[in-house]
Amino acid sequence: MKPPQLADQLLKFFCSPHRLEEIQGDLHEEYAWQVKRIGERRARWRYWWDVLGFVIQFAVRRKSSNDSNTSLTNPMMIRNYVKIAWRNLLRYRLNSTLTITGLALGLACGLLIILHVREELSYDKGFTKADLIFRITTENIGEKSRIWAATSPLIGVEMKQQIPAIQTLARFHRPYPDRVFSYAPSGGELRQFEEKRGFYADSTVVEVFDLAFVKGDSRTALKQVDGIVLTEATAKKYFGDDEPLGKVIQDDLDKRPLTVTGVISNFSFPTHLQFDYLISMSTYYGIADKGSLENRGWSGFYNYVLLNRNASLPEVEARVPAFMVKFYELAGENRKDILTARKTHLQPITAIHLHSKLEKEMGPNSDILYVYVFGVAALFILLVASVNFINMATAQAFNRLKEVGVRKVLGARKEQLVKQFLGESFLLTLTAAVLALLLFRLAIPFYNALTAKNLQFGQLFNPANVVGMLLLAGLISLVAGLYPAWFISSFEPVTSLKGRKSSVSSVTLVRKGLIVFQFAVSVFMIFSTIVVYRQMQFFQNKKLGFDQEQVVAVKLYGQEMHEKVSTIQNEWLKNSAITEVALISVLPGDRFSTDMLTPLGKADDASQMRFMWADEHMLPVLKIGLKTGRNFGRKTEGAHFPYILNEAAVKALKLQSPIGQKMVSLGDTGEIVGVVNDFHFASLHNAVEPLVIVQHPGQANYFLLKIKGDQWPETVQFAQSTLARLSPKSLFSYTFLDEKLARLYDSEQRVGHVLTVFAVFAIFISCLGLFGLSAYAAQLRIKEVGIRKVLGATVSGVVLLLSRDFLRLVIIAALLASPLAWWAMSRWLEGFAYAIEMEWWMLVLTAGLAVSVAVLTISFQSIKAALMNPVKSLKSE
């Protein structure tokens, strides 16, 4: 019978030629003997073990002085080490299970967070020219500085002309309001959809952002007037499996046909550029007002520039101030005001997702703070799992005193013992890693739902991640196993053979310190979770100054709906469940536009403010309280637009008696008729800003319906059917105002949920170790417990005796972690204009939870030991 040829090939690959013949001869002879003794199948497995032993020996270059005479000893020794490791796993099942489970949970949590963080850090880095792409942003410097992500349509054009280092300009402009597209296939049903993610775009975006065309000509697709490029998913939605090129989609708002000139695939990497369609910029230039396109102060375009490969960013930035002077002087501003009140920045595209929360962003971005939070959480959990490993290994070491003593007496050197136990550590880590991958696979759907991510199991298995995982497993194995291995191998043979298990040893202090560290991490995460939860509760319960409950916002789409506004309102009001219908330009929680409001004849007192357009029903629907003055009346045709200001606006304008004062804005002069109490029309991340409410229903983009009681399902259905009857070509799109406002805090809510989950895992892993250590401590003192019970000790007294040392460590951990947790969460709360006050009871609650969990963990083993029959305790070896 021949041994496995593949094993021989493996040996030939690793072994030097002068040793190969000798080793193969010995192995083949051993194999023939094993076939007779245990059968061919088992002999083949043993042959593989022997070959792998030689491979490992060669890889780590572990050669002994009598290498030439022990050709079979090393692989057999390695095989024996594996056997011993496996038998110890089975012998100490509880210890092994707790160790592997804790490490697997830690690794699974770590993998989830690391993949999450890596995706956050990779935003926009997939563009081939990412290091050369910059977004132009502008900053207005004054009493209330604002930095704008969107800038003038002209700023990029003229910057490219004046700064030679700029190779290409690429611009986007968002259609307003959101589009409604429809497609009517011949003989088929009309397909009509609301499209919220799309832009007008220069043809140069294809080159700058590496758009991958699946269909169509990338050179001309965005040059054609009335041309539209769709993503694959959008094309599928409108055309199914039909050929999309040349098909015509109708823009129902502008009554404009758009011809599909290309289909592109979605970006294969995360990016802040999120869109479902792109319309050629030439289309927009054909319909836009010329004045807005030449307006140097209008923040309407997203301007991206691509620098030359040999360009120096500092040199480009040094030329920007001179460019700004030329650019804004053409708008009538003087040089001094330009240099003191305006700045233009070149923002790296890779910094947008994590470092940018500017005015008029393309979409919501994340925050680098949360990357740090998740990164620290991953580190903490991996450390807790590794500490758990160390504690369990050192506890188990006392059970192997005699084994180590025998090995040392038989000549085992310390380095050999260290390698053996490090090997066992690696075996445990490898087992935990396999289990972690399974847990990771099972947890991904839940984690994606929790974080609004789209992580995939396959993302783990690219070369960089595989190498990273192997390094992580190796590092954890080394860090977690080195101290136990060194500690075990340091036992004196005489002490080992006597089998002494002293509770007082050099390792006790280290073990106690590690327990303190574990629970300090747990206390930190529990306290952070409590603070985040309280802040979210504060956001949800804080009075915003208006009534958001039972208010439905319906989008006002297209000319037909605008022409029938009054008819639609009157028809809706015939339903007794609808108490009021108002018109409003922008919903609370959305970005309000800004403009200047100037007291008539006092140009120097002008102030930049947020603007909202509404009718006379808006204040009653939202129940916004008037501080002074009156509400809007019914507006007559041709009259000037009246204003209602909030308190912050009155304060900004320094008006002593605002009612009746004439104000100028947007080329019109109007009168202040009322002042409302400040209300939170934006996120609670920011303080209430000055707001001007203008009575101009023609600028409205939403109906607001106030619905009575709990009749909203049938009422919404009534509103939809009524609109379909009165304006059959219009799309019914609605949202509940309270739900919309709740979404403002999605990122904080997600962070809170994730912290809660990982805090639970951190304390669970810590408790796994505490459970194992308490079992070991109870076993160590089993005779002492028996003697105490014989002498009259009560069960509660024994439980307290076995528990108090561990509880003392948990309390110390809570005391050490509390100041750091308080400081960290204080810094986090500084990011909110309205934040909770942290109180002493939060720390007490945190410590109480940690101690309670520890008590429950320890009590099981303590009570079990206390209830044991003293006769059995005293008889135990």
Side-chain angles (χ1 to χ4, degrees):
M1 298 293 180
K2 292 185 178 181
Q5 292 184 0
L6 184 59
D8 277 345
Q9 292 296 323
L10 183 66
L11 189 66
K12 184 177 180 180
F13 178 80
F14 279 96
C15 194
S16 59
H18 71 278
R19 296 277 289 129
L20 179 61
E21 185 177 349
E22 178 187 355
I23 292 172
Q24 276 190 328
D26 289 339
L27 286 176
H28 287 189
E29 184 180 341
E30 172 75 8
Y31 174 74
W33 180 73
Q34 293 290 357
V35 168
K36 295 177 182 178
R37 192 174 72 89
I38 59 176
E40 182 181 3
R41 183 176 179 183
R42 292 179 63 187
R44 292 175 73 85
W45 279 108
R46 182 157 294 191
Y47 187 84
W48 266 107
W49 273 117
D50 290 342
V51 170
L52 289 174
F54 272 110
V55 170
I56 293 170
Q57 175 194 356
F58 181 84
V60 300
R61 298 184 180 276
R62 199 184 74 185
K63 297 182 180 180
S64 62
S65 58
N66 58 347
D67 180 68
S68 59
N69 299 321
T70 56
S71 59
L72 286 175
T73 304
N74 284 331
M76 291 175 67
M77 183 174 64
I78 291 172
R79 188 178 66 208
N80 288 336
Y81 283 169
V82 173
K83 279 185 179 179
I84 292 168
W86 180 250
R87 286 168 181 170
N88 277 312
L89 286 178
L90 298 179
R91 182 179 179 188
Y92 304 107
R93 287 185 180 85
L94 176 62
N95 190 298
S96 302
T97 301
L98 295 177
T99 303
I100 292 172
T101 302
L103 198 53
L105 284 173
L107 285 170
C109 293
L111 285 175
L112 283 168
I113 299 177
I114 289 169
L115 212 60
H116 179 127
V117 168
R118 186 168 180 184
E119 182 177 277
E120 288 289 290
L121 293 175
S122 66
Y123 263 74
D124 297 305
K125 292 181 180 178
F127 296 117
T128 57
K129 311 177 191 77
D131 57 327
L132 300 174
I133 303 174
F134 297 84
R135 183 172 70 177
I136 301 174
T137 65
T138 56
E139 181 177 3
N140 299 332
I141 304 171
E143 185 177 338
K144 178 70 175 178
S145 295
R146 301 183 195 276
I147 305 179
W148 294 82
T151 47
S152 166
L154 293 174
I155 194 168
V157 175
E158 296 191 13
M159 187 179 285
K160 181 178 182 299
Q161 292 171 354
Q162 297 180 34
I163 302 179
I166 296 176
Q167 175 182 319
T168 311
L169 168 71
R171 299 175 302 165
F172 296 92
H173 171 67
R174 190 195 307 278
Y176 187 81
D178 296 329
R179 301 286 93 181
V180 176
F181 293 154
S182 61
Y183 170 67
S186 57
E189 187 179 349
L190 179 71
R191 301 168 188 171
Q192 186 181 49
F193 302 98
E194 179 183 27
E195 298 293 351
K196 297 183 178 182
R197 302 196 316 171
F199 298 94
Y200 293 102
D202 286 331
S203 60
T204 50
V205 303
V206 175
E207 171 198 350
V208 173
F209 296 105
D210 311 315
L211 300 189
F213 274 74
V214 177
K215 296 179 182 293
D217 188 345
S218 62
R219 296 167 298 178
T220 60
L222 283 172
K223 290 182 179 178
Q224 181 177 324
V225 177
D226 294 336
I228 185 171
V229 172
L230 307 176
T231 63
E232 287 182 289
T234 307
K236 182 81 172 176
K237 182 170 65 175
Y238 283 94
F239 308 113
D241 296 327
D242 295 343
E243 172 61 50
L245 290 183
K247 295 286 196 310
V248 176
I249 289 178
Q250 182 76 12
D251 182 341
D252 290 345
L253 301 191
D254 290 343
K255 306 298 183 185
R256 196 176 191 86
L258 300 170
T259 303
V260 178
T261 56
V263 177
I264 57 175
S265 59
N266 290 325
F267 293 114
S268 60
F269 51 87
T271 172
H272 79 287
L273 287 175
Q274 300 291 329
F275 54 81
D276 296 318
Y277 68 87
L278 296 174
I279 303 175
S280 63
M281 189 65 76
S282 56
T283 305
Y284 181 69
Y285 269 69
I287 60 176
D289 174 62
K290 186 178 180 181
S292 65
L293 294 175
E294 297 177 354
N295 188 336
R296 295 170 186 267
W298 177 44
S299 300
F301 276 56
Y302 298 95
N303 287 267
Y304 293 84
V305 293
L306 175 68
L307 302 187
N308 292 317
R309 178 60 66 180
N310 58 353
S312 167
L313 180 61
E315 291 179 7
V316 175
E317 291 177 326
R319 301 190 61 169
V320 169
F323 160 76
M324 286 172 53
V325 171
K326 288 184 180 180
F327 183 77
Y328 288 109
E329 276 182 340
L330 293 174
E333 300 182 32
N334 64 67
R335 179 184 181 87
K336 181 181 178 182
D337 289 343
I338 294 169
L339 292 176
T340 57
R342 292 186 183 276
K343 276 188 180 180
T344 297
H345 307 279
L346 292 180
Q347 183 182 37
I349 190 174
T350 53
I352 292 175
H353 180 66
L354 293 176
H355 302 275
S356 186
K357 288 188 176 180
L358 311 185
E359 290 280 338
K360 214 170 183 179
E361 287 281 4
M362 270 190 170
N365 292 324
S366 186
D367 194 318
I368 189 63
L369 172 64
Y370 296 129
V371 172
Y372 295 145
V373 168
F374 281 93
V376 170
L379 179 63
F380 277 176
I381 288 176
L382 289 173
L383 285 175
V384 166
S386 299
V387 164
N388 187 62
F389 187 109
I390 294 171
N391 273 338
M392 298 295 287
T394 52
Q396 187 180 353
F398 285 105
N399 294 321
R400 302 181 68 177
L401 286 170
K402 289 186 178 181
E403 175 193 338
V404 173
V406 170
R407 286 183 179 277
K408 283 199 165 187
V409 168
L410 294 176
R413 297 188 302 274
K414 183 175 180 178
E415 64 185 47
Q416 290 176 314
L417 292 170
V418 168
K419 288 178 181 178
Q420 176 193 346
F421 289 109
L422 273 178
E424 292 185 16
S425 169
F426 182 75
L427 180 62
L428 280 171
T429 306
L430 188 62
T431 306
V434 173
L435 180 58
L437 287 176
L438 177 60
L439 293 174
F440 176 83
R441 179 67 184 87
L442 295 174
I444 277 182
F446 303 100
Y447 190 79
N448 285 339
L450 203 64
T451 59
K453 286 286 178 184
N454 189 29
L455 304 181
Q456 302 292 328
F457 184 65
Q459 289 178 256
L460 272 181
F461 298 103
N462 63 51
N465 282 346
V466 170
V467 172
M469 285 190 295
L470 291 175
L471 289 175
L472 179 64
L475 180 62
I476 289 176
S477 177
L478 184 64
V479 170
L482 190 59
Y483 177 73
W486 171 83
F487 167 69
I488 293 168
S489 64
S490 299
F491 287 148
E492 291 296 331
V494 175
T495 304
S496 302
L497 290 171
K498 287 181 179 180
R500 291 177 182 170
K501 300 181 181 180
S502 173
S503 61
V504 180
S505 70
S506 59
V507 79
T508 303
L509 184 61
V510 174
R511 186 187 301 148
K512 288 181 177 180
L514 294 177
I515 292 173
V516 169
F517 172 79
Q518 280 185 303
F519 276 90
V521 170
S522 300
V523 166
F524 182 93
M525 297 186 74
I526 292 171
F527 181 76
S528 302
T529 301
I530 290 173
V531 173
V532 172
Y533 173 78
R534 291 283 298 171
Q535 181 67 18
M536 292 303 99
Q537 288 294 106
F538 172 78
F539 282 161
Q540 293 172 7
N541 298 326
K542 182 173 172 58
K543 300 298 183 183
L544 300 180
F546 65 93
D547 185 11
Q548 56 180 303
E549 303 296 329
Q550 299 297 112
V551 176
V552 176
V554 179
K555 272 195 175 179
L556 219 169
Y557 269 134
Q559 184 178 353
E560 186 178 19
M561 283 185 75
H562 277 89
E563 290 172 350
K564 298 181 178 180
V565 161
S566 297
T567 304
I568 294 170
Q569 282 180 299
N570 292 332
E571 287 296 312
W572 279 344
L573 286 170
K574 290 179 180 179
N575 188 319
S576 60
I578 301 176
T579 60
E580 198 88 40
V581 180
L583 291 167
I584 193 170
S585 61
V586 60
L587 298 178
D590 283 340
R591 194 195 70 82
F592 284 46
S593 62
T594 63
D595 218 304
M596 302 301 293
L597 185 67
T598 309
L600 186 62
K602 299 179 181 179
D604 292 340
D605 294 337
S607 183
Q608 191 175 55
M609 303 195 175
R610 301 287 183 183
F611 273 69
M612 172 199 290
W613 290 267
D615 68 356
E616 65 274 17
H617 302 289
M618 190 272 291
L619 295 186
V621 167
L622 296 181
K623 297 184 179 177
I624 298 173
L626 276 165
K627 183 177 181 181
T628 183
R630 61 173 178 83
N631 187 13
F632 298 129
R634 184 171 293 277
K635 190 174 184 303
T636 56
E637 193 68 31
H640 291 294
F641 300 121
Y643 303 121
I644 293 177
L645 277 57
N646 68 352
E647 295 173 280
V650 173
K651 184 178 180 181
L653 293 167
K654 301 175 183 177
L655 300 176
Q656 299 299 322
S657 302
I659 304 302
Q661 292 208 28
K662 302 290 186 181
M663 310 299 290
V664 180
S665 73
L666 302 172
D668 187 68
T669 300
E671 179 182 316
I672 299 175
V673 299
V675 176
V676 295
N677 298 316
D678 281 340
F679 64 97
H680 296 279
F681 57 86
S683 161
L684 290 171
H685 292 86
N686 308 306
V688 175
E689 296 185 69
L691 174 67
V692 180
I693 305 171
V694 185
Q695 186 180 13
H696 190 353
Q699 294 289 329
N701 294 304
Y702 294 92
F703 290 107
L704 292 182
L705 284 67
K706 183 68 175 179
I707 297 176
K708 190 193 307 179
D710 58 354
Q711 304 176 47
W712 65 265
E714 54 268 32
T715 306
V716 169
Q717 182 63 40
F718 165 80
Q720 182 175 9
S721 59
T722 302
L723 182 64
R725 176 169 51 85
L726 297 175
S727 182
K729 295 183 179 179
S730 298
L731 186 72
F732 184 79
S733 174
Y734 74 96
T735 183
F736 286 94
L737 190 56
D738 55 350
E739 292 178 359
K740 179 179 179 58
L741 291 169
R743 288 195 293 270
L744 295 175
Y745 314 107
D746 275 353
S747 60
E748 287 80 15
Q749 289 276 18
R750 286 196 292 270
V751 169
H753 292 152
V754 172
L755 274 179
T756 301
V757 170
F758 288 123
V760 170
F761 278 122
I763 198 165
F764 179 69
I765 294 169
S766 300
C767 288
L768 286 178
L770 197 59
F771 184 84
L773 290 175
S774 62
Y776 167 74
Q779 182 67 28
L780 195 66
R781 304 175 71 175
I782 192 167
K783 287 189 177 182
E784 177 190 346
V785 170
I787 293 170
R788 287 179 178 273
K789 290 194 71 177
V790 169
L791 295 176
T794 62
V795 172
S796 59
V798 172
V799 170
L800 180 61
L801 173 72
L802 296 176
S803 304
R804 63 188 179 191
D805 287 341
F806 291 109
L807 294 180
R808 189 182 296 120
L809 296 178
V810 175
I811 292 170
I812 291 172
L815 292 175
L816 291 176
S818 294
L820 180 61
W822 188 280
W823 172 82
M825 297 314 295
S826 297
R827 294 292 302 273
W828 180 71
L829 290 172
E830 288 174 3
F832 301 97
Y834 304 93
I836 61 169
E837 290 288 337
M838 289 192 298
E839 300 178 54
W840 62 268
W841 64 263
M842 296 180 183
L843 289 175
V844 173
L845 176 61
T846 301
L849 285 172
V851 171
S852 299
V853 171
V855 168
L856 290 173
T857 303
I858 299 165
S859 295
F860 179 81
Q861 294 294 343
S862 300
I863 294 172
K864 181 180 176 182
L867 294 175
M868 184 179 289
N869 189 329
V871 176
K872 290 185 178 180
S873 302
L874 294 173
K875 284 172 62 179
S876 66
E877 182 59 38

